[in-house]
Amino acid sequence: IIPSLILVIIVSKILKKFSNNFYVKTVITTLKPIGCALLVSVAISLLIPKLSDIKSMVLLLVLLLLSWKSKKDPIFYIFLAALAGIIFY
C-alpha cells in the first residue's frame, strides 16, 4: 500500500505542476472516458453470470430504480443489497 501511495503522490504533484499544459489536459480528458469504459466492462463481465435467476434481476432493477429516484448515499444501497441478499439467499 505504501509504495502505491507514494507513486500516486508523486504523479499528483507532477500533474499539478503541468496542469496548464495542453498535452497534459488532452491526455487527462482522454483517459476519463477510457477509465469509465473499463469500469463498465468489468461490471458487465461480473454482472452477467450472476443474473441467472429472476430474484437477482428483480433485486438489481429495484436497487437501480431506488438509486435513481432517491439520491441517497451509495453505501445505503450497498447495505440494502447485502440485507436483501441475506434474506433472499
Coordinates of all heavy atoms in Angstrom, one line a residue:
I1 N 0.8 -1.2 0.0 CA 0.0 0.0 0.0 C 0.9 1.3 0.0 O 0.6 2.2 -0.7 CB -0.9 0.0 1.2 CG1 -2.0 -1.1 1.0 CG2 -1.7 1.3 1.3 CD1 -2.9 -1.3 2.2
I2 N 1.9 1.3 0.8 CA 2.8 2.5 0.9 C 3.4 2.8 -0.5 O 3.4 4.0 -0.8 CB 3.8 2.3 2.0 CG1 3.1 2.2 3.4 CG2 4.8 3.5 2.1 CD1 2.2 3.3 3.8
P3 N 4.0 1.8 -1.2 CA 4.7 2.2 -2.5 C 3.7 2.8 -3.5 O 4.0 3.8 -4.2 CB 5.3 0.9 -3.0 CG 5.5 0.1 -1.8 CD 4.3 0.5 -0.9
S4 N 2.5 2.3 -3.5 CA 1.5 2.8 -4.4 C 1.0 4.2 -4.0 O 0.8 5.1 -4.8 CB 0.3 1.9 -4.6 OG -0.3 1.7 -3.3
L5 N 0.9 4.4 -2.7 CA 0.6 5.7 -2.2 C 1.6 6.8 -2.6 O 1.3 7.9 -3.0 CB 0.4 5.7 -0.7 CG 0.0 7.0 0.0 CD1 -1.3 7.5 -0.5 CD2 0.1 6.8 1.5
I6 N 2.9 6.4 -2.4 CA 4.0 7.3 -2.8 C 3.9 7.6 -4.2 O 4.1 8.8 -4.7 CB 5.3 6.7 -2.3 CG1 5.4 6.6 -0.8 CG2 6.5 7.5 -2.9 CD1 6.6 5.8 -0.3
L7 N 3.7 6.6 -5.1 CA 3.6 6.8 -6.5 C 2.5 7.7 -6.9 O 2.6 8.6 -7.7 CB 3.4 5.4 -7.2 CG 3.4 5.5 -8.7 CD1 4.8 5.9 -9.3 CD2 3.1 4.1 -9.3
V8 N 1.3 7.6 -6.3 CA 0.2 8.4 -6.5 C 0.5 9.9 -6.1 O 0.2 10.8 -6.8 CB -1.1 7.9 -5.8 CG1 -2.2 9.0 -5.8 CG2 -1.5 6.6 -6.5
I9 N 1.2 10.1 -5.0 CA 1.5 11.4 -4.6 C 2.5 12.1 -5.6 O 2.3 13.2 -5.9 CB 2.1 11.4 -3.1 CG1 1.0 11.0 -2.1 CG2 2.7 12.7 -2.8 CD1 1.5 10.8 -0.7
I10 N 3.5 11.3 -6.0 CA 4.5 11.8 -7.0 C 3.8 12.2 -8.3 O 4.0 13.3 -8.8 CB 5.6 10.8 -7.2 CG1 6.5 10.7 -5.9 CG2 6.5 11.2 -8.4 CD1 7.5 9.6 -6.0
V11 N 2.9 11.3 -8.8 CA 2.2 11.6 -10.1 C 1.3 12.8 -9.9 O 1.2 13.7 -10.8 CB 1.5 10.4 -10.5 CG1 0.5 10.7 -11.7 CG2 2.4 9.3 -10.9
S12 N 0.6 12.9 -8.7 CA -0.2 14.0 -8.5 C 0.5 15.3 -8.5 O 0.0 16.3 -9.1 CB -0.9 13.8 -7.1 OG -1.4 15.0 -6.6
K13 N 1.7 15.4 -7.9 CA 2.5 16.6 -7.9 C 3.0 17.0 -9.3 O 3.0 18.1 -9.6 CB 3.6 16.5 -6.9 CG 3.2 16.4 -5.4 CD 4.3 16.7 -4.5 CE 3.8 16.6 -3.1 NZ 3.3 17.8 -2.6
I14 N 3.4 16.0 -10.0 CA 3.8 16.2 -11.4 C 2.6 16.8 -12.3 O 2.8 17.7 -13.0 CB 4.4 15.0 -12.0 CG1 5.7 14.6 -11.3 CG2 4.6 15.1 -13.5 CD1 6.3 13.3 -11.7
L15 N 1.5 16.1 -12.1 CA 0.3 16.6 -12.9 C -0.1 18.0 -12.5 O -0.5 18.8 -13.3 CB -0.9 15.6 -12.7 CG -0.8 14.4 -13.5 CD1 -1.9 13.4 -13.2 CD2 -0.7 14.6 -15.0
K16 N 0.0 18.3 -11.2 CA -0.3 19.7 -10.7 C 0.6 20.7 -11.3 O 0.2 21.8 -11.7 CB -0.3 19.7 -9.2 CG -0.9 20.9 -8.6 CD -0.9 20.9 -7.1 CE -2.3 21.1 -6.6 NZ -2.3 21.1 -5.1
K17 N 1.9 20.3 -11.4 CA 2.9 21.2 -11.9 C 2.6 21.6 -13.4 O 2.8 22.7 -13.9 CB 4.3 20.6 -11.8 CG 5.4 21.5 -12.2 CD 6.7 20.9 -11.9 CE 7.9 21.7 -12.4 NZ 9.2 21.1 -12.2
F18 N 2.2 20.5 -14.2 CA 1.9 20.7 -15.6 C 0.4 20.8 -16.0 O 0.1 20.5 -17.1 CB 2.6 19.6 -16.4 CG 4.1 19.6 -16.3 CD1 4.7 18.7 -15.5 CD2 4.8 20.5 -17.0 CE1 6.1 18.6 -15.4 CE2 6.2 20.5 -16.9 CZ 6.9 19.6 -16.1
S19 N -0.4 21.2 -15.0 CA -1.8 21.1 -15.3 C -2.3 22.1 -16.3 O -3.4 21.9 -16.9 CB -2.6 21.4 -14.0 OG -2.3 22.7 -13.5
N20 N -1.6 23.1 -16.6 CA -2.0 24.1 -17.7 C -1.4 23.7 -19.1 O -1.7 24.4 -20.0 CB -1.5 25.5 -17.3 CG -2.2 26.0 -16.1 OD1 -3.4 25.7 -15.9 ND2 -1.5 26.8 -15.3
N21 N -0.7 22.6 -19.2 CA -0.1 22.2 -20.4 C -1.2 21.6 -21.3 O -2.0 20.8 -20.8 CB 1.0 21.2 -20.2 CG 1.7 20.8 -21.4 OD1 1.2 20.9 -22.5 ND2 3.0 20.4 -21.2
F22 N -1.2 22.0 -22.6 CA -2.3 21.5 -23.5 C -2.2 20.0 -23.6 O -3.3 19.3 -23.6 CB -2.1 22.1 -24.9 CG -2.9 21.5 -25.9 CD1 -4.2 21.8 -26.0 CD2 -2.4 20.6 -26.9 CE1 -5.0 21.2 -27.0 CE2 -3.1 20.1 -27.9 CZ -4.5 20.4 -27.9
Y23 N -1.1 19.4 -23.7 CA -0.9 17.9 -23.9 C -1.4 17.2 -22.7 O -2.0 16.1 -22.8 CB 0.5 17.6 -24.3 CG 0.9 18.2 -25.6 CD1 1.8 19.2 -25.6 CD2 0.3 17.8 -26.8 CE1 2.2 19.8 -26.8 CE2 0.7 18.4 -28.0 CZ 1.6 19.4 -28.0 OH 2.0 20.0 -29.2
V24 N -1.1 17.7 -21.5 CA -1.5 17.0 -20.3 C -3.0 17.1 -20.1 O -3.7 16.1 -19.8 CB -0.8 17.7 -19.0 CG1 -1.4 17.1 -17.7 CG2 0.7 17.4 -19.1
K25 N -3.6 18.2 -20.4 CA -5.1 18.3 -20.4 C -5.7 17.4 -21.4 O -6.7 16.8 -21.1 CB -5.5 19.8 -20.7 CG -5.3 20.7 -19.6 CD -5.8 22.1 -20.0 CE -5.6 23.1 -18.9 NZ -6.1 24.4 -19.3
T26 N -5.1 17.2 -22.6 CA -5.7 16.4 -23.6 C -5.6 14.9 -23.1 O -6.6 14.1 -23.3 CB -4.9 16.5 -24.9 OG1 -5.0 17.9 -25.3 CG2 -5.5 15.7 -26.0
V27 N -4.5 14.5 -22.6 CA -4.4 13.1 -22.1 C -5.3 12.8 -21.0 O -6.0 11.8 -20.9 CB -2.9 12.9 -21.6 CG1 -2.8 11.6 -20.8 CG2 -2.0 12.8 -22.8
I28 N -5.5 13.8 -20.0 CA -6.4 13.5 -18.9 C -7.8 13.5 -19.4 O -8.6 12.7 -19.0 CB -6.2 14.6 -17.8 CG1 -4.8 14.4 -17.2 CG2 -7.3 14.6 -16.8 CD1 -4.5 15.5 -16.2
T29 N -8.2 14.4 -20.3 CA -9.5 14.4 -20.9 C -9.8 13.1 -21.6 O -10.9 12.6 -21.6 CB -9.7 15.6 -21.8 OG1 -9.4 16.8 -21.1 CG2 -11.1 15.6 -22.4
T30 N -8.8 12.5 -22.3 CA -9.0 11.2 -23.0 C -9.0 10.1 -22.0 O -9.8 9.1 -22.3 CB -7.8 11.0 -24.0 OG1 -7.7 12.2 -24.8 CG2 -8.0 9.8 -24.8
L31 N -8.3 10.1 -20.9 CA -8.3 9.0 -20.0 C -9.6 8.8 -19.2 O -9.9 7.7 -18.8 CB -7.1 9.1 -19.0 CG -5.7 8.8 -19.6 CD1 -4.6 9.1 -18.6 CD2 -5.6 7.4 -20.2
K32 N -10.3 9.9 -19.0 CA -11.5 9.8 -18.2 C -12.6 8.8 -18.9 O -13.1 7.9 -18.2 CB -12.1 11.2 -18.0 CG -11.4 12.0 -16.9 CD -12.1 13.3 -16.7 CE -11.3 14.2 -15.8 NZ -11.9 15.5 -15.6
P33 N -12.9 9.0 -20.1 CA -13.9 8.1 -20.7 C -13.3 6.6 -20.8 O -14.1 5.7 -20.7 CB -14.1 8.6 -22.1 CG -13.5 9.9 -22.2 CD -12.6 10.1 -21.0
I34 N -12.0 6.5 -21.0 CA -11.4 5.2 -21.1 C -11.5 4.5 -19.7 O -11.9 3.3 -19.7 CB -9.9 5.3 -21.5 CG1 -9.8 5.8 -23.0 CG2 -9.2 4.0 -21.3 CD1 -8.4 6.1 -23.4
G35 N -11.3 5.2 -18.7 CA -11.5 4.6 -17.3 C -12.9 4.2 -17.1 O -13.2 3.2 -16.5
C36 N -13.9 5.1 -17.5 CA -15.3 4.7 -17.3 C -15.6 3.5 -18.1 O -16.4 2.6 -17.7 CB -16.2 5.9 -17.8 SG -16.1 7.3 -16.6
A37 N -15.1 3.4 -19.4 CA -15.4 2.2 -20.2 C -14.8 1.0 -19.6 O -15.5 -0.1 -19.6 CB -14.8 2.4 -21.6
L38 N -13.6 1.0 -19.0 CA -13.1 -0.1 -18.3 C -13.9 -0.6 -17.1 O -14.1 -1.8 -16.9 CB -11.6 0.2 -17.9 CG -10.6 0.2 -19.0 CD1 -9.3 0.7 -18.5 CD2 -10.4 -1.2 -19.6
L39 N -14.4 0.4 -16.4 CA -15.2 0.1 -15.2 C -16.5 -0.6 -15.7 O -17.0 -1.6 -15.1 CB -15.5 1.3 -14.4 CG -14.4 1.8 -13.5 CD1 -14.7 3.1 -12.9 CD2 -14.0 0.8 -12.5
V40 N -17.1 -0.1 -16.7 CA -18.4 -0.6 -17.2 C -18.1 -2.1 -17.8 O -18.9 -3.0 -17.5 CB -19.0 0.3 -18.3 CG1 -20.1 -0.4 -19.1 CG2 -19.5 1.5 -17.7
S41 N -17.0 -2.3 -18.4 CA -16.7 -3.6 -19.0 C -16.5 -4.6 -17.8 O -17.0 -5.7 -17.9 CB -15.4 -3.5 -19.8 OG -14.9 -4.7 -20.1
V42 N -15.8 -4.2 -16.8 CA -15.7 -5.1 -15.7 C -17.0 -5.4 -15.0 O -17.3 -6.5 -14.6 CB -14.7 -4.5 -14.7 CG1 -14.7 -5.3 -13.3 CG2 -13.3 -4.5 -15.3
A43 N -17.8 -4.3 -14.8 CA -19.1 -4.5 -14.2 C -20.0 -5.5 -15.0 O -20.7 -6.3 -14.4 CB -19.8 -3.2 -14.0
I44 N -20.0 -5.3 -16.3 CA -20.8 -6.2 -17.1 C -20.3 -7.6 -17.1 O -21.1 -8.6 -17.0 CB -20.8 -5.7 -18.6 CG1 -21.7 -4.4 -18.6 CG2 -21.4 -6.7 -19.5 CD1 -21.7 -3.7 -20.0
S45 N -19.0 -7.8 -17.1 CA -18.4 -9.2 -17.1 C -18.7 -9.8 -15.7 O -18.8 -11.1 -15.7 CB -17.0 -9.2 -17.4 OG -16.2 -8.5 -16.4
L46 N -18.8 -9.1 -14.7 CA -19.1 -9.6 -13.4 C -20.6 -9.8 -13.2 O -21.1 -10.7 -12.4 CB -18.6 -8.8 -12.2 CG -17.1 -8.7 -12.1 CD1 -16.7 -7.7 -11.0 CD2 -16.5 -10.1 -11.7
L47 N -21.4 -9.0 -13.8 CA -22.8 -9.0 -13.6 C -23.6 -10.1 -14.4 O -24.5 -10.7 -13.9 CB -23.4 -7.6 -14.1 CG -24.9 -7.4 -13.9 CD1 -25.2 -7.3 -12.4 CD2 -25.3 -6.1 -14.5
I48 N -23.2 -10.4 -15.6 CA -23.9 -11.3 -16.5 C -24.0 -12.7 -15.9 O -25.0 -13.3 -15.9 CB -23.3 -11.3 -17.9 CG1 -23.7 -10.0 -18.6 CG2 -23.8 -12.5 -18.7 CD1 -23.1 -9.8 -20.0
P49 N -22.9 -13.3 -15.4 CA -23.0 -14.6 -14.8 C -23.9 -14.7 -13.5 O -24.5 -15.7 -13.2 CB -21.6 -15.1 -14.4 CG -20.7 -14.1 -15.2 CD -21.5 -12.9 -15.4
K50 N -24.0 -13.5 -12.8 CA -24.8 -13.5 -11.6 C -26.3 -13.3 -11.8 O -27.1 -13.5 -10.9 CB -24.3 -12.4 -10.7 CG -22.8 -12.5 -10.3 CD -22.6 -13.8 -9.6 CE -21.1 -13.9 -9.3 NZ -20.7 -15.2 -8.8
L51 N -26.7 -12.9 -13.0 CA -28.1 -12.7 -13.3 C -28.8 -14.0 -13.9 O -29.5 -13.9 -14.9 CB -28.3 -11.5 -14.2 CG -28.0 -10.2 -13.6 CD1 -28.2 -9.1 -14.6 CD2 -28.9 -9.9 -12.4
S52 N -28.6 -15.1 -13.2 CA -29.1 -16.3 -13.7 C -30.5 -16.6 -13.3 O -31.2 -17.4 -13.9 CB -28.2 -17.5 -13.3 OG -28.1 -17.5 -11.9
D53 N -31.0 -16.0 -12.2 CA -32.3 -16.2 -11.7 C -33.1 -14.9 -11.6 O -32.6 -13.8 -11.7 CB -32.3 -17.0 -10.4 CG -31.6 -16.2 -9.3 OD1 -30.9 -15.2 -9.6 OD2 -31.8 -16.5 -8.1
I54 N -34.4 -15.1 -11.5 CA -35.3 -13.9 -11.5 C -35.2 -13.1 -10.3 O -35.3 -11.8 -10.4 CB -36.8 -14.4 -11.7 CG1 -37.7 -13.2 -12.0 CG2 -37.3 -15.1 -10.5 CD1 -37.5 -12.7 -13.4
K55 N -34.8 -13.7 -9.1 CA -34.6 -12.9 -7.9 C -33.5 -11.9 -8.1 O -33.6 -10.7 -7.6 CB -34.4 -13.8 -6.7 CG -35.6 -14.6 -6.3 CD -35.3 -15.3 -4.9 CE -34.4 -16.4 -5.1 NZ -34.2 -17.3 -3.9
S56 N -32.4 -12.3 -8.7 CA -31.3 -11.4 -8.9 C -31.6 -10.2 -9.8 O -31.3 -9.1 -9.6 CB -30.1 -12.2 -9.5 OG -29.7 -13.2 -8.7
M57 N -32.4 -10.5 -10.9 CA -32.8 -9.5 -11.8 C -33.7 -8.5 -11.2 O -33.6 -7.3 -11.3 CB -33.4 -10.1 -13.0 CG -32.5 -10.8 -13.9 SD -33.3 -11.4 -15.4 CE -32.8 -13.0 -15.5
V58 N -34.7 -9.0 -10.4 CA -35.6 -8.1 -9.7 C -34.9 -7.2 -8.7 O -35.1 -6.0 -8.6 CB -36.7 -8.9 -9.0 CG1 -37.6 -8.0 -8.1 CG2 -37.6 -9.5 -10.1
L59 N -34.0 -7.8 -7.9 CA -33.2 -7.1 -6.9 C -32.4 -6.0 -7.6 O -32.3 -4.8 -7.2 CB -32.3 -8.0 -6.2 CG -31.4 -7.4 -5.1 CD1 -32.2 -6.7 -4.0 CD2 -30.5 -8.4 -4.5
L60 N -31.7 -6.3 -8.7 CA -30.9 -5.3 -9.5 C -31.8 -4.2 -10.0 O -31.5 -3.0 -9.8 CB -30.2 -6.0 -10.7 CG -29.5 -5.0 -11.6 CD1 -28.3 -4.4 -10.9 CD2 -29.1 -5.7 -12.8
L61 N -33.0 -4.5 -10.6 CA -33.9 -3.4 -11.1 C -34.4 -2.6 -10.0 O -34.5 -1.3 -10.1 CB -35.0 -4.1 -11.9 CG -34.6 -4.7 -13.2 CD1 -35.8 -5.4 -13.9 CD2 -34.0 -3.6 -14.1
V62 N -34.8 -3.2 -8.8 CA -35.3 -2.4 -7.7 C -34.2 -1.4 -7.2 O -34.5 -0.3 -6.9 CB -35.8 -3.3 -6.6 CG1 -36.1 -2.6 -5.3 CG2 -37.1 -4.0 -7.1
L63 N -33.0 -1.9 -7.0 CA -32.0 -1.1 -6.5 C -31.6 0.0 -7.5 O -31.3 1.2 -7.1 CB -30.7 -1.9 -6.1 CG -30.9 -2.8 -4.9 CD1 -29.7 -3.7 -4.7 CD2 -31.0 -1.9 -3.7
L64 N -31.6 -0.3 -8.8 CA -31.3 0.8 -9.8 C -32.4 1.9 -9.7 O -32.1 3.1 -9.7 CB -31.2 0.2 -11.2 CG -29.9 -0.5 -11.5 CD1 -30.0 -1.2 -12.9 CD2 -28.8 0.5 -11.5
L65 N -33.7 1.4 -9.7 CA -34.8 2.4 -9.6 C -34.7 3.3 -8.3 O -34.9 4.5 -8.4 CB -36.1 1.7 -9.7 CG -36.4 1.2 -11.1 CD1 -37.7 0.4 -11.1 CD2 -36.5 2.3 -12.1
L66 N -34.4 2.6 -7.2 CA -34.3 3.3 -5.9 C -33.1 4.4 -6.0 O -33.3 5.5 -5.5 CB -34.1 2.4 -4.8 CG -35.3 1.7 -4.2 CD1 -34.9 0.7 -3.2 CD2 -36.2 2.7 -3.6
S67 N -32.0 4.0 -6.6 CA -30.9 4.9 -6.6 C -31.1 6.0 -7.6 O -30.6 7.1 -7.3 CB -29.6 4.1 -7.1 OG -29.7 3.7 -8.4
W68 N -31.9 5.8 -8.6 CA -32.3 7.0 -9.5 C -33.3 7.9 -8.9 O -33.2 9.1 -9.1 CB -32.7 6.5 -10.8 CG -31.6 6.1 -11.8 CD1 -30.4 6.6 -11.8 CD2 -31.7 5.0 -12.7 NE1 -29.7 5.9 -12.8 CE2 -30.4 5.0 -13.4 CE3 -32.6 4.1 -13.1 CZ2 -30.1 4.1 -14.4 CZ3 -32.3 3.2 -14.1 CH2 -31.1 3.2 -14.7
K69 N -34.3 7.3 -8.2 CA -35.4 8.1 -7.6 C -35.0 8.9 -6.4 O -35.2 10.1 -6.2 CB -36.6 7.3 -7.3 CG -37.2 6.7 -8.6 CD -37.8 7.8 -9.4 CE -38.5 7.2 -10.7 NZ -39.0 8.1 -11.6
S70 N -34.3 8.2 -5.5 CA -33.9 8.9 -4.2 C -32.4 9.0 -4.2 O -31.7 7.9 -4.3 CB -34.4 8.1 -3.0 OG -33.9 6.8 -3.0
K71 N -31.9 10.1 -4.1 CA -30.4 10.3 -4.2 C -29.8 10.2 -2.8 O -29.3 11.1 -2.2 CB -30.2 11.8 -4.7 CG -30.8 12.0 -6.1 CD -30.1 11.2 -7.1 CE -30.7 11.5 -8.5 NZ -30.2 10.7 -9.5
K72 N -29.7 8.9 -2.3 CA -29.1 8.7 -1.1 C -27.6 8.2 -1.3 O -27.2 8.0 -2.4 CB -29.8 7.5 -0.3 CG -31.2 8.0 0.1 CD -31.8 7.0 1.0 CE -33.2 7.5 1.5 NZ -33.8 6.7 2.4
D73 N -26.9 8.1 -0.2 CA -25.5 7.7 -0.3 C -25.4 6.3 -0.9 O -26.2 5.4 -0.5 CB -25.0 7.7 1.1 CG -23.5 7.6 1.2 OD1 -22.8 8.0 0.2 OD2 -23.0 7.0 2.2
P74 N -24.4 6.0 -1.7 CA -24.3 4.7 -2.3 C -24.1 3.6 -1.3 O -24.5 2.4 -1.5 CB -23.1 4.8 -3.2 CG -23.0 6.2 -3.5 CD -23.5 7.0 -2.4
I75 N -23.5 3.9 -0.1 CA -23.3 3.0 0.9 C -24.7 2.4 1.4 O -24.8 1.2 1.7 CB -22.5 3.6 2.1 CG1 -21.2 4.1 1.7 CG2 -22.4 2.6 3.3 CD1 -20.2 3.0 1.3
F76 N -25.7 3.3 1.4 CA -27.0 2.8 1.8 C -27.5 1.7 0.9 O -28.1 0.7 1.4 CB -28.0 4.0 1.7 CG -29.4 3.6 1.9 CD1 -29.9 3.3 3.2 CD2 -30.3 3.6 0.8 CE1 -31.3 3.0 3.3 CE2 -31.6 3.2 0.9 CZ -32.1 2.9 2.2
Y77 N -27.3 1.8 -0.4 CA -27.7 0.8 -1.4 C -26.9 -0.5 -1.3 O -27.4 -1.5 -1.5 CB -27.7 1.4 -2.8 CG -28.6 2.6 -2.9 CD1 -28.1 3.8 -3.1 CD2 -30.0 2.4 -2.9 CE1 -29.0 4.9 -3.3 CE2 -30.9 3.5 -3.0 CZ -30.4 4.7 -3.2 OH -31.2 5.8 -3.3
I78 N -25.7 -0.3 -0.9 CA -24.8 -1.5 -0.7 C -25.3 -2.3 0.5 O -25.5 -3.5 0.4 CB -23.3 -1.1 -0.6 CG1 -22.8 -0.5 -1.9 CG2 -22.5 -2.3 -0.1 CD1 -21.4 0.1 -1.8
F79 N -25.6 -1.6 1.6 CA -26.2 -2.3 2.8 C -27.5 -2.9 2.5 O -27.9 -4.0 2.9 CB -26.2 -1.4 4.0 CG -24.9 -1.1 4.6 CD1 -24.4 0.2 4.8 CD2 -24.1 -2.2 5.0 CE1 -23.2 0.4 5.4 CE2 -22.9 -2.0 5.6 CZ -22.4 -0.7 5.8
L80 N -28.4 -2.1 1.7 CA -29.7 -2.6 1.4 C -29.6 -3.9 0.5 O -30.3 -4.9 0.7 CB -30.4 -1.5 0.6 CG -31.9 -1.8 0.4 CD1 -32.7 -1.9 1.7 CD2 -32.5 -0.6 -0.4
A81 N -28.6 -3.9 -0.5 CA -28.4 -5.1 -1.3 C -27.9 -6.3 -0.5 O -28.3 -7.4 -0.7 CB -27.5 -4.8 -2.4
A82 N -27.0 -6.0 0.5 CA -26.5 -7.0 1.3 C -27.6 -7.6 2.2 O -27.7 -8.9 2.3 CB -25.4 -6.5 2.2
L83 N -28.5 -6.8 2.7 CA -29.6 -7.3 3.5 C -30.5 -8.1 2.7 O -31.0 -9.2 3.1 CB -30.3 -6.1 4.2 CG -31.5 -6.4 5.1 CD1 -31.0 -7.1 6.3 CD2 -32.2 -5.1 5.5
A84 N -30.8 -7.6 1.5 CA -31.7 -8.4 0.6 C -31.1 -9.7 0.2 O -31.8 -10.7 0.1 CB -32.0 -7.6 -0.6
G85 N -29.8 -9.7 0.0 CA -29.1 -11.0 -0.3 C -29.1 -12.0 0.8 O -29.3 -13.2 0.6
I86 N -29.0 -11.5 2.0 CA -29.1 -12.4 3.2 C -30.5 -12.9 3.3 O -30.6 -14.1 3.6 CB -28.7 -11.6 4.5 CG1 -27.2 -11.3 4.4 CG2 -29.0 -12.4 5.7 CD1 -26.7 -10.4 5.5
I87 N -31.5 -12.1 3.1 CA -32.9 -12.5 3.3 C -33.3 -13.5 2.1 O -33.8 -14.6 2.4 CB -33.8 -11.3 3.3 CG1 -33.6 -10.5 4.6 CG2 -35.3 -11.8 3.2 CD1 -34.3 -9.2 4.6
F88 N -33.0 -13.2 0.9 CA -33.4 -14.0 -0.2 C -32.5 -15.2 -0.5 O -33.0 -16.1 -1.2 CB -33.6 -13.1 -1.5 CG -34.7 -12.1 -1.4 CD1 -34.4 -10.8 -1.6 CD2 -36.0 -12.5 -1.1 CE1 -35.4 -9.9 -1.5 CE2 -37.0 -11.6 -1.0 CZ -36.7 -10.2 -1.2
Y89 N -31.3 -15.2 -0.1 CA -30.4 -16.3 -0.5 C -29.9 -16.9 0.8 O -29.2 -17.7 1.0 CB -29.2 -15.8 -1.4 CG -29.7 -15.2 -2.7 CD1 -29.8 -13.9 -2.9 CD2 -30.0 -16.1 -3.7 CE1 -30.3 -13.4 -4.1 CE2 -30.5 -15.6 -4.9 CZ -30.6 -14.3 -5.1 OH -31.0 -13.8 -6.3

